[in-house]
Amino acid sequence: MKTSFKKYGRKDSQDLCEISLENDHGMQVNILNYGATLEKVLLNQENMILTLNSPEDYSKERNFLGGTVGRICGRVRLGKWRHGRQIQQLPQNDGKNHIHGGLGSDTKIWNFKLKNSDREAQADFFLFDADGTNGYPGNMKLHATYKLDNNNNLSYTLTAVSDQLTVFNPANHTYFNLGEKAADLELQLAADYYLPVGEDGLPNQGMKNVKNTPFDFRKKKKISLALNSDDDQIKLRNGLDHPFILNGMQPAAMLTSKKHQMIMTTNAPAIVMYTANHFNHTGGVANNIGQYDGITLEAQCPPAEGIDLGEITLLPYEKFERKINWNFK
């Protein structure tokens, strides 16, 4: 096992670094301290995820690729959080709604330290998010950990604690492609229900059974079968852009390409799936990425229909812990 890092730039009087974890079987993982971002997952030098052209590009334009997105990853209706008789207003940066934490944790530079043993290579990232940042109450400390072992398991754990009542629903926003396009991959998902959404991308109908819909991935099938369907929900979002409620069976998700497989387990109650619908080989830094090139499997709580965000409310000093394991073959 091997750990290393190199400095590639400076921003806001802080060093920008690319961290590398390597196992003994040809797997290498690159992580940026900018956004605690999963930049590359290499199996014998073949990349399993979508990656920008250079580490420097990640801080030039926000694309969420691989980032630790918070405090909330996803949308909040009208940017409002009602708790008791109070209503907290978050930035309305997605039309009338709030999305991806405002200028969230994926745009911050995290401190880090490395740890190495015979069994695993580990990188720990730390961020202090002050009270009032992006309109969120509470001084919050975040701790993200990436671990790589010799069985090609890459684990991701995010813990956090706030000193005030707050809301918190982060996610790792990696786009997987297993060396191909997401549209060509096969997906199996342990989800019997999904959440239909409105034009604003927020749920508006409660849960719907996946049976007899393009959203049924309980048995392995090609993602393109859903993308090419004439389902109104697929057309509305130009692809998959929906929360799936996990049924507790593990693995939660399994992606398969012609050469590789990724098996995912998590303690999250839902996975928000997004098939890179908006990418089109344009833009300043993401010009190497096109529509349906990758797919996110964002392990988080599903977005709420209203502004009562009880599921993602943290009490003062209550510990948040999200666990994900990706196994690559």
Side-chain angles (χ1 to χ4, degrees):
M1 310 294 288
K2 184 179 178 183
T3 55
S4 61
F5 73 92
K6 63 180 180 182
K7 175 183 170 180
Y8 65 86
R10 291 270 291 173
K11 181 179 172 63
D12 301 330
S13 301
Q14 294 175 277
D15 291 329
L16 295 170
C17 296
E18 181 183 52
I19 294 92
S20 179
L21 310 179
E22 297 180 49
N23 71 11
D24 300 327
H25 303 302
M27 182 171 174
Q28 178 179 329
V29 174
N30 288 354
I31 311 148
L32 307 180
N33 70 327
Y34 182 78
T37 295
L38 184 58
E39 181 204 9
K40 290 181 181 179
V41 177
L42 303 171
L43 289 186
N44 296 314
Q45 297 305 307
E46 186 176 9
N47 199 2
M48 300 291 102
I49 67 175
L50 294 187
T51 298
L52 296 179
N53 291 309
S54 72
E56 290 85 354
D57 286 339
Y58 284 80
S59 58
K60 292 178 182 176
E61 181 181 286
R62 196 180 184 196
N63 289 290
F64 309 108
L65 271 76
T68 296
V69 181
R71 296 186 187 188
I72 292 177
C73 181
R75 294 176 175 86
V76 176
R77 190 175 301 280
L78 302 176
K80 294 182 184 298
W81 165 42
R82 180 168 54 207
H83 50 101
R85 297 180 180 179
Q86 293 183 298
I87 293 181
Q88 189 86 24
Q89 183 66 58
L90 301 172
Q92 293 169 292
N93 61 334
D94 182 45
K96 294 181 179 180
N97 301 316
H98 174 76
I99 194 170
H100 292 336
L103 290 175
S105 53
D106 59 299
T107 68
K108 308 293 176 61
I109 300 170
W110 298 51
N111 297 314
F112 70 93
K113 67 178 182 180
L114 304 182
K115 182 180 178 181
N116 197 354
S117 72
D118 293 338
R119 293 185 298 175
E120 58 191 16
Q122 176 175 331
D124 289 274
F125 297 86
F126 307 92
L127 180 69
F128 175 74
D129 202 45
D131 175 35
T133 304
N134 290 302
Y136 288 90
N139 294 297
M140 177 169 273
K141 288 194 73 173
L142 292 82
H143 176 193
T145 301
Y146 291 87
K147 293 181 183 179
L148 177 65
D149 69 16
N150 271 327
N151 293 316
N152 287 0
N153 286 301
L154 174 60
S155 70
Y156 172 87
T157 303
L158 180 65
T159 60
V161 175
S162 169
D163 65 357
Q164 294 181 44
L165 185 75
T166 193
V167 279
F168 194 59
N169 189 27
N172 181 283
H173 208 280
T174 297
Y175 287 86
F176 298 93
N177 67 351
L178 304 188
E180 299 182 21
K181 293 181 180 291
D184 298 328
L185 302 179
E186 290 183 316
L187 172 66
Q188 187 170 349
L189 196 65
D192 304 308
Y193 292 88
Y194 79 102
L195 298 182
V197 299
E199 290 187 4
D200 60 2
L202 276 161
N204 61 358
Q205 303 173 42
M207 293 189 296
K208 184 175 180 180
N209 199 302
V210 300
K211 187 177 180 180
N212 298 323
T213 76
F215 299 89
D216 191 351
F217 290 97
R218 293 174 296 178
K219 293 184 179 179
K220 186 169 65 173
K221 73 173 185 183
K222 271 204 169 184
I223 295 171
S224 60
L225 292 176
L227 297 176
N228 295 332
S229 76
D230 60 359
D231 185 272
D232 289 342
Q233 282 285 309
I234 298 292
K235 290 181 177 179
L236 180 68
R237 304 305 297 168
N238 295 314
L240 288 160
D241 185 14
H242 297 82
F244 288 77
I245 309 303
L246 297 174
N247 60 23
M249 300 294 290
Q250 299 287 1
M254 185 164 58
L255 276 178
T256 307
S257 69
K258 293 182 180 68
K259 293 169 57 180
H260 301 288
Q261 188 175 63
M262 188 277 286
I263 299 171
M264 175 179 172
T265 59
T266 181
N267 68 346
I271 283 177
V272 176
M273 193 186 306
Y274 181 62
T275 42
N277 306 338
H278 72 285
F279 288 98
N280 59 1
H281 291 291
T282 62
V285 299
N287 49 56
N288 62 321
I289 298 173
Q291 189 178 53
Y292 308 148
D293 278 359
I295 181 171
T296 68
L297 298 169
E298 302 161 41
Q300 57 178 288
C301 293
E305 287 194 30
I307 65 173
D308 294 307
L309 308 181
E311 186 176 12
I312 62 170
T313 297
L314 286 181
L315 297 173
Y317 303 105
E318 178 184 359
K319 183 181 179 181
F320 172 92
E321 185 173 51
R322 175 70 66 237
K323 293 182 178 180
I324 307 171
N325 189 84
W326 303 291
N327 178 255
F328 293 88
K329 297 179 179 179

